[in-house]
Amino acid sequence: MLTTALVAARYFGGNLVLGQRYMEQHWGQQSLNKGGFNRQLYALADTLVGLFAPFGQLLKGLHTEARYVIDSFPVAVWHNTRIPRCKLLTGKSYHGRCASKRSWFYGFKVQLVATTDGIPVDYYIHANSEANQTGLRALAPDLPKGSVRYTDAGY
């Protein structure tokens, strides 16, 4: 289950269906239906969060170059025209604008700290209406002394 999710994230752009299909065809793994797979993966959320923090610290220690990229990206739950029908999120704090895409949407922002090779070492998820600076203060990346941070104009 967890292997399938990691294979999907690494090789199929996060497409769980393609990851399941690959694991079934090449490794003979019996696949669940889409809903069952998502429920089991959701049940592992705390385990994944618990695993990410120590691995992130380990990767920070191993990254001898000490150069990090900090940026944010949107995760749209609903498009602007469908907001009144949204049952997953409630409140205006999730409604905001993505300047790079020149559009309004309903969802989250993810603040991400990654190595210059693109390996994520820390993250913070917050409501879309919060500014990047607010998310960065909440993230408070614990980077090694003397490390270089590359950010965009939003920071």
Side-chain angles (χ1 to χ4, degrees):
M1 158 77 95
L2 189 55
T3 305
T4 303
L6 292 173
V7 166
R10 174 69 175 100
Y11 297 107
F12 300 106
N15 190 325
L16 296 174
V17 174
L18 292 178
Q20 279 183 301
R21 193 175 303 147
Y22 173 82
M23 293 299 285
E24 186 176 337
Q25 290 173 353
H26 292 85
W27 297 98
Q29 185 181 48
Q30 295 295 321
S31 64
L32 296 170
N33 63 13
K34 189 176 179 181
F37 184 81
N38 284 334
R39 278 191 295 278
Q40 284 194 2
L41 191 60
Y42 183 75
L44 292 173
D46 293 335
T47 304
L48 291 173
V49 169
L51 286 174
F52 189 84
F55 278 122
Q57 288 297 333
L58 177 68
L59 290 170
K60 287 178 198 175
L62 293 175
H63 188 62
T64 57
E65 197 175 317
R67 295 174 185 262
Y68 297 93
V69 177
I70 301 175
D71 204 358
S72 66
F73 60 90
V75 179
V77 176
W78 286 96
H79 290 288
N80 201 32
T81 57
R82 297 184 184 140
I83 290 173
R85 291 184 277 169
C86 182
K87 304 279 190 244
L88 297 173
L89 304 172
T90 56
K92 293 198 179 243
S93 63
Y94 296 102
H95 188 250
R97 187 173 193 286
C98 178
S100 63
K101 295 184 179 188
R102 296 183 183 124
S103 65
W104 291 84
F105 73 96
Y106 203 63
F108 303 97
K109 274 188 194 170
V110 178
Q111 302 285 329
L112 187 69
V113 179
T115 64
T116 52
D117 299 328
I119 300 170
V121 294
D122 208 354
Y123 71 96
Y124 177 70
I125 300 171
H126 58 92
N128 189 26
S129 64
E130 289 183 21
N132 285 346
Q133 285 294 334
T134 308
L136 184 61
R137 279 193 293 274
L139 175 63
D142 181 27
L143 300 176
K145 289 189 186 234
S147 62
V148 179
R149 298 178 189 180
Y150 297 104
T151 63
D152 62 3
Y155 295 98

